[in-house]
Amino acid sequence: MGKATGETERMHALDGVRGVAAVVVLLYHLTLMARPRLEETAGLWEWITQSPLRPLTAGSEAVLVFFVLSGLVVSIPALSSSFDWLRYYPSRLIRLYLPVVGAVLFAVALIVFVPRLPGAITPDSWLADRVASSVSLSQVIDESSLLPQTYTIVNVLWSLRWEVIFSVLLPVFVVVGLAVRRRRALAAVVSIALMVLGRVIDVDALVYLPTFFLGTLIAVSLPELRAWTDRRNRRGSGLLWGTLAVASVGLLIASWLARPIAPAGSDLSAALWGLAGAGAAGLIVVAIGSPLAKRMLSARLPLWLGRVSFSLYLVHVPVLASVAFVIGDGRWWLVAAISIPASFAIAWLFHVAVETPAHRLARRAGSRVASRHDRVPEPIAS
């Protein structure tokens, strides 16, 4: 979820995509908080989640957009022959881990100072089951390490675990991406098939790693993709981009739209959910190629959202949970009215106080490691 670098600096729309996706995740968690009350009105929960409104709250699917973005923007610099792997690893891991630790400590502070009494929220709800109401030192250490599979202090950290795995395996992704470059269409189909299989047999690695790889495929194919989009745009391609955008959104939320005939938990629903990664990749292609999408996503508000998106992603659940425990999830509309602006304000402060210094430290650490290696004398030939 790091910001674009190198060649992607000219693709400001990608920052806009990142910002929009972060807001979708925020709205998704708001609906999970409000679900007990929304289900009291017949058909309201289904109307929100199984209709064309679903893209506004498709949080799990928005995370796949993040994964494709990371596969793209992290791979592009690595494709250069001058890329410094010794600089990359410490820099990348610091950029990920320091904000994570900051977010965990922020959430712990809220848990300690804001009472989380069980009677304030609905039993067996998302807040009751998936958000911590107390913490231990061992739990803080475990979640900050990004080693567990599930998280309750900052429950979005499950996705950062996969970001770390992808970041460590980046050389493999780049090598494979370059190897299949001439058969990228086939490679994309195989990746999508693996994602579908992963959903059906419930193997997360088969779902998420191919999603990152779709981003890597876009990275290795970027010159050809840009040449193709330039030719299309010169001929006028509004219908093409509109169709691709609608189709991509459709794939992203296909499992939800099909709920009436493919109930959650069925193999068909799982298979349709496996197509969400393809939809995420399609939206990234639209953001890169569509002139209208680029103008919209490069506007001031989407770019600001993109700037604080990582921080917003990390802090919004602790803020939402704290407000809900104080007010009660029965008044979900008031929780939303308070927690949304509070999340944006705290995200900006977190961006300034934690994320930006982490980026500076990451750059310095990477440069120091690289310079130390450069100073190591070459062995004398015997």
Side-chain angles (χ1 to χ4, degrees):
M1 294 170 64
K3 294 193 188 309
T5 57
E7 189 174 356
T8 52
E9 287 178 353
R10 295 191 298 274
M11 295 189 288
H12 299 295
L14 296 184
D15 288 320
V17 172
R18 186 180 293 106
V20 172
V23 172
V24 169
V25 174
L26 168 61
L27 296 177
Y28 167 65
H29 287 129
L30 283 170
T31 60
L32 291 182
M33 178 272 298
R35 182 174 182 173
R37 297 297 177 265
L38 296 176
E39 289 182 331
E40 292 176 356
T41 302
L44 183 56
W45 174 254
E46 290 76 12
W47 182 70
I48 292 173
T49 61
Q50 300 175 27
S51 75
L53 291 176
R54 179 60 188 174
L56 299 176
T57 60
S60 298
E61 293 79 5
V63 172
L64 300 182
V65 174
F66 286 136
F67 287 175
V68 177
L69 273 171
S70 290
L72 169 60
V73 302
V74 178
S75 295
I76 285 177
L79 295 172
S80 169
S81 59
S82 62
F83 186 70
D84 191 335
W85 289 100
L86 288 176
R87 184 191 301 265
Y88 160 75
Y89 275 110
S91 179
R92 177 66 176 167
L93 294 177
I94 289 172
R95 284 168 67 96
L96 290 173
Y97 268 103
L98 279 188
V100 164
V101 173
V104 170
L105 294 178
F106 168 70
V108 168
L110 289 182
I111 293 171
V112 170
F113 292 108
V114 179
R116 295 195 171 186
L117 304 176
I121 58 173
T122 305
D124 300 322
S125 64
W126 171 72
L127 280 174
D129 297 339
R130 302 296 297 274
V131 178
S133 57
S134 62
V135 293
S136 64
L137 179 59
S138 62
Q139 186 182 6
V140 171
I141 294 172
D142 283 347
E143 296 203 13
S144 297
S145 72
L146 297 178
L147 294 177
Q149 294 189 15
T150 58
Y151 301 79
T152 56
I153 299 177
V154 182
N155 66 5
V156 301
L157 293 185
W158 70 268
S159 66
L160 272 297
R161 176 175 178 265
W162 289 104
E163 291 275 357
V164 168
I165 292 171
F166 161 70
S167 298
V168 171
L169 295 176
L170 179 62
V172 177
F173 280 78
V174 170
V175 169
V176 175
L178 290 172
V180 302
R181 182 175 181 176
R182 295 184 181 278
R183 297 185 178 181
R184 50 185 171 267
L186 177 59
V189 170
V190 171
S191 298
I192 295 167
L194 288 174
M195 290 186 284
V196 171
L197 176 63
R199 287 297 188 194
V200 172
I201 66 176
D202 196 22
V203 176
D204 287 343
L206 289 179
V207 177
Y208 301 129
L209 295 181
T211 306
F212 284 105
F213 185 67
L214 288 179
T216 301
L217 278 179
I218 296 174
V220 300
S221 306
L222 197 55
E224 293 85 356
L225 176 61
R226 280 179 161 166
W228 180 79
T229 58
D230 287 345
R231 291 194 301 271
R232 291 288 180 175
N233 290 335
R234 283 195 295 269
R235 301 172 188 170
S237 55
L239 180 59
L240 168 67
W241 295 123
T243 302
L244 181 56
V246 171
S248 298
V249 171
L251 289 174
L252 200 68
I253 62 170
S255 64
W256 288 93
L257 297 179
R259 285 290 168 87
I261 60 172
S266 66
D267 286 346
L268 178 56
S269 178
L272 291 172
W273 195 9
L275 297 175
L283 290 177
I284 299 304
V285 172
V286 171
I288 292 172
S290 167
L292 176 60
K294 285 190 283 190
R295 285 196 300 272
M296 294 175 63
L297 293 167
S298 300
R300 183 172 300 177
L301 178 58
L303 288 181
W304 183 85
L305 291 172
R307 188 176 305 119
V308 302
S309 58
F310 190 25
S311 295
L312 178 64
Y313 186 74
L314 290 173
V315 305
H316 76 273
V317 171
V319 173
L320 168 62
S322 298
V323 175
F325 271 97
V326 170
I327 295 176
D329 61 356
R331 292 187 289 177
W332 62 268
W333 50 271
L334 183 57
V335 174
I338 295 173
S339 61
I340 290 176
S343 293
F344 285 119
I346 293 171
W348 173 250
L349 293 174
F350 192 90
H351 171 77
V352 172
V354 179
E355 186 183 353
T356 299
H359 289 180
R360 288 198 294 265
L361 178 61
R363 287 193 294 269
R364 288 198 298 268
S367 297
R368 180 168 297 181
V369 170
S371 63
R372 284 183 177 180
H373 177 262
D374 291 340
R375 290 198 299 267
V376 174
E378 293 292 332
I380 299 175
S382 58

